[in-house]
Amino acid sequence: MSIAGSETQTPAVTCKDLEAYSEQQVVDWLKRQECEEGFDISTLGGVRLLSETERDDLAQRLNKAAMLLPLRTDDLHARLQKVASRQDGSPDLEPSQSRSESIASTPLPPTFHDVEVACRKGLIEAGGRPVCSIQELSHILAAPTVGYETVLSWLSDDPDSETGTGDLKTVFTRQFWRWWEFRKSQWDSRGLGDSEAGFSAFLEATKRKHLAIGNKAWVSGPSFDETNRRRWQHMPTSRQLPEGQTFSAHSNAVKIRLAPHQFTKPIQLRKDPQKQTIWTDWLEYLSFELRCLEKLTAAADSLEPECHQSMRRLLRAKQPNGNRAASRSAAFVSTKPQQYCQGGKGVNMAKELAAARADRDASQKSIDDFIRETRAYMQARRDVFYQKHRVEWVIKEARLMENEMSSLSNWAKVKKRKQRDEEAPEPQPKSSKRRVGGRNANSVTTPATPHPRRNPRRSARQTSLKG
C-alpha cells in the first residue's frame, strides 16, 4: 500500500472518539452516516466494549444529534427540479408539470408534529401510556416555562435551555423509544433477547409509525427490515439480574422492588411477555425505571467523593493562606496615598496592581477548574433528579390504573347482581294458596289413601255399616 493511499483513508471513528466530540461534532459525524433508510452507524467501533450505562449515554447523544440535523429541503427541491427537467425533455413521459404543481404533488417531509402524533399513537398501541395529550403538549410548547411540569418526567434539562427545548419537541418520540427499550429488556431478562417474536413486534410497530408519517417508500424498501433488526439488536437494555439467571429469579427481583409501593392488584409475570396483562406490563415497566434510577444514583454517588475534593481545593484557594489576593488587597487599601509618592519607602503601585491581577486570574482559574471537575457529577445528579420524577409519574399512572380496575370491578359486580335479581322468579302471593275442605290445597290426600291418624279396621267397619 502506498503512503499516499494510506493518507487519504479516513480513520474509523470509535465510541471513545464520540465521547470526546462536542455536540456539533457529533451532529456532523451523524450527518455523514446518513442514508436513505436513516443512519448507518455499523462502522462505529467499540460498541460491544461499552457498559450498559455507557451505551445508554451514547444512544441519548445520538438521538439528540439526530433531532438537531436540519431537514434536507434544498436536496428535495433539487431533486424535484431534476425530475421536472427530465419530464420536459422526454417525449415518452406524460406532459411536464409546472414547478409549483410538481412541488405540490410531492409529499413533504414529516414535521415534528407529524412524528409526535405517530409516536404517541404507536406508544398506545404497544401498551404504553402517553404523558399528556397532543393539545396539552401544544400549550406547553407555546409557553414552556409555564406548563412544563406536566412533562417534567420526560425532560433532561431546564425547559428554557437548548436541550430542554429539544426534549419538549420530542416528548412522545422519546416515550416511544423508551417503551421499546423496556420491551427489549423484558425479552432479554427472560433469556429471550434474540427471540424473533420480540423483533417481529418491534418491526410491526416501527412500520406503522413510518407509514403514519408517510414513509411508504422506505417501509417497502429492501433494507427496512435489516436496518431495524440491527437497531433492535443494539437497543440498550437494563437487566434486573446478571445474565444467566432464571425467569423465576427475575420475577422475584421485580416483586421485591415493587413491594414497598404496596399495590393491591397482584402482578403475574409470564415467561412469554406477550401473554401478560396491561397491568402486569406496567408494573414491570415501573420496575425497569426503578432499576434505571438505582443505576443512575449509584453512578452519581461514585462521583461524590471527587466532587468534595474539588470543593475543598476551591475553598483552600479562596482562603488568605492559600491565596495572597486578600492579604495584598488589604495592604493595598490600607496604604496611605502619600506613600506612593515616597521613593523606596512606599509601595510600588504597578507591582501591587500586577499582583492583584495575577491573584484574580488565579481565583478565576480555581473556579473554572472546579466547574470542569464537577461537571460530570452535576450532570449525574441532574439525571437522578429527572429520573426520580419519571418514576413518580409511572407510580401515579399505576395508581390511576388500579383505581380504574377497582371501579370497573365494582361496576361489574353491581351489573351482575342486577341481572341476577331480574332473572330470579317472583314469589307467589299468599292469596294463591286455596284451602279445600278446610285444609290447605297442598295437603289434600286422595280418597284411596287412609288418613294417618285413623284406625284402618274402624274405618272398614264404618263403611260396612253404611252399606
Side-chain angles (χ1 to χ4, degrees), residues 14-51:
T14 65
C15 295
K16 294 298 181 183
D17 296 331
L18 284 185
E19 185 178 354
Y21 280 4
S22 65
E23 185 176 78
Q24 186 57 46
Q25 287 176 317
V26 176
V27 172
D28 295 339
W29 177 83
L30 191 62
K31 187 176 182 180
R32 293 195 295 270
Q33 316 310 313
E34 200 167 5
C35 58
E36 293 183 359
E37 296 82 8
F39 302 99
D40 183 8
I41 61 173
S42 58
T43 59
L44 182 62
V47 175
R48 296 185 178 276
L49 301 177
L50 297 178
S51 65

Side-chain angles (χ1 to χ4, degrees), residues 149-309:
E149 291 88 353
T150 304
V151 295
L152 181 63
S153 55
W154 289 95
L155 298 182
S156 60
D157 206 343
D158 296 333
D160 55 351
S161 66
E162 183 178 354
T163 302
T165 302
D167 288 347
L168 288 174
K169 292 180 180 179
T170 58
V171 167
F172 299 130
T173 299
R174 288 179 295 107
Q175 270 200 281
F176 177 86
W177 290 114
R178 182 69 166 182
W179 183 257
W180 278 106
E181 287 176 11
F182 155 66
R183 287 297 200 192
K184 177 66 182 297
S185 298
Q186 272 188 313
W187 293 95
D188 195 58
S189 298
R190 290 162 170 78
L192 304 172
D194 298 329
S195 170
E196 279 297 314
F199 168 69
S200 298
F202 168 72
L203 184 64
E204 289 303 315
T206 308
K207 282 183 179 179
R208 289 193 298 268
K209 179 176 73 73
H210 283 286
L211 289 175
I213 59 180
N215 290 338
K216 296 180 180 179
W218 183 27
V219 171
S220 59
S223 59
F224 179 82
D225 290 5
E226 184 59 31
T227 300
N228 283 282
R229 181 179 291 277
R230 291 198 302 267
R231 175 176 288 180
W232 174 256
Q233 291 172 347
H234 293 93
M235 186 175 291
T237 59
S238 178
R239 296 180 63 91
Q240 302 288 340
L241 293 173
E243 191 172 357
Q245 296 293 325
T246 63
F247 169 69
S248 177
H250 165 73
S251 180
N252 291 333
V254 171
K255 292 177 180 179
I256 291 173
R257 187 169 283 113
L258 296 175
H261 302 286
Q262 298 180 346
F263 293 105
T264 58
K265 300 293 182 181
I267 178 173
Q268 297 177 344
L269 295 171
R270 296 285 184 264
K271 180 72 173 180
D272 183 356
Q274 292 181 322
K275 295 181 180 180
Q276 291 184 172
T277 63
I278 296 176
W279 168 248
T280 296
D281 276 341
W282 191 257
L283 289 190
E284 192 174 4
Y285 172 59
L286 172 57
S287 178
F288 168 81
E289 293 292 6
L290 284 168
R291 168 64 178 155
C292 293
L293 177 59
E294 293 170 2
K295 292 166 56 180
L296 291 173
T297 303
D301 290 344
S302 67
L303 297 173
E304 193 165 355
E306 184 179 348
C307 178
H308 288 323
Q309 292 179 4

Side-chain angles (χ1 to χ4, degrees), residues 236-422:
T237 59
S238 178
R239 296 180 63 91
Q240 302 288 340
L241 293 173
E243 191 172 357
Q245 296 293 325
T246 63
F247 169 69
S248 177
H250 165 73
S251 180
N252 291 333
V254 171
K255 292 177 180 179
I256 291 173
R257 187 169 283 113
L258 296 175
H261 302 286
Q262 298 180 346
F263 293 105
T264 58
K265 300 293 182 181
I267 178 173
Q268 297 177 344
L269 295 171
R270 296 285 184 264
K271 180 72 173 180
D272 183 356
Q274 292 181 322
K275 295 181 180 180
Q276 291 184 172
T277 63
I278 296 176
W279 168 248
T280 296
D281 276 341
W282 191 257
L283 289 190
E284 192 174 4
Y285 172 59
L286 172 57
S287 178
F288 168 81
E289 293 292 6
L290 284 168
R291 168 64 178 155
C292 293
L293 177 59
E294 293 170 2
K295 292 166 56 180
L296 291 173
T297 303
D301 290 344
S302 67
L303 297 173
E304 193 165 355
E306 184 179 348
C307 178
H308 288 323
Q309 292 179 4
S310 299
M311 177 66 74
R312 286 193 290 270
R313 284 194 293 268
L314 178 64
L315 293 176
R316 283 198 302 268
K318 297 296 291 182
Q319 290 174 355
N321 293 335
N323 187 351
R324 296 189 298 273
S327 59
R328 287 182 174 177
S329 299
F332 179 77
V333 172
S334 62
T335 305
K336 295 181 180 180
Q338 58 269 26
Q339 287 181 295
Y340 295 106
C341 302
Q342 299 173 0
K345 295 182 179 181
V347 179
N348 189 316
M349 181 182 292
K351 290 183 178 180
E352 189 64 34
L353 287 174
R357 189 178 296 111
D359 288 334
R360 180 202 62 190
D361 294 341
S363 297
Q364 184 61 49
K365 183 179 182 303
S366 298
I367 295 173
D368 294 341
D369 291 344
F370 173 77
I371 293 174
R372 186 187 68 257
E373 293 168 358
T374 60
R375 183 178 289 115
Y377 174 75
M378 297 302 295
Q379 179 62 48
R381 283 301 176 197
R382 188 182 297 113
D383 294 341
V384 170
F385 171 80
Y386 286 106
Q387 183 64 22
K388 282 184 177 179
H389 281 281
R390 182 172 299 178
V391 168
E392 291 173 0
W393 173 75
V394 178
I395 293 173
K396 184 185 72 172
E397 291 296 309
R399 300 297 183 196
L400 291 175
M401 293 175 68
E402 198 170 33
N403 292 336
E404 291 170 1
M405 288 188 294
S406 297
S407 299
L408 289 174
S409 177
N410 293 335
W411 179 80
K413 290 179 180 179
V414 171
K415 183 178 180 181
K416 186 176 182 180
R417 188 182 303 113
K418 184 177 179 181
Q419 290 177 344
R420 185 174 64 248
D421 293 343
E422 290 176 351

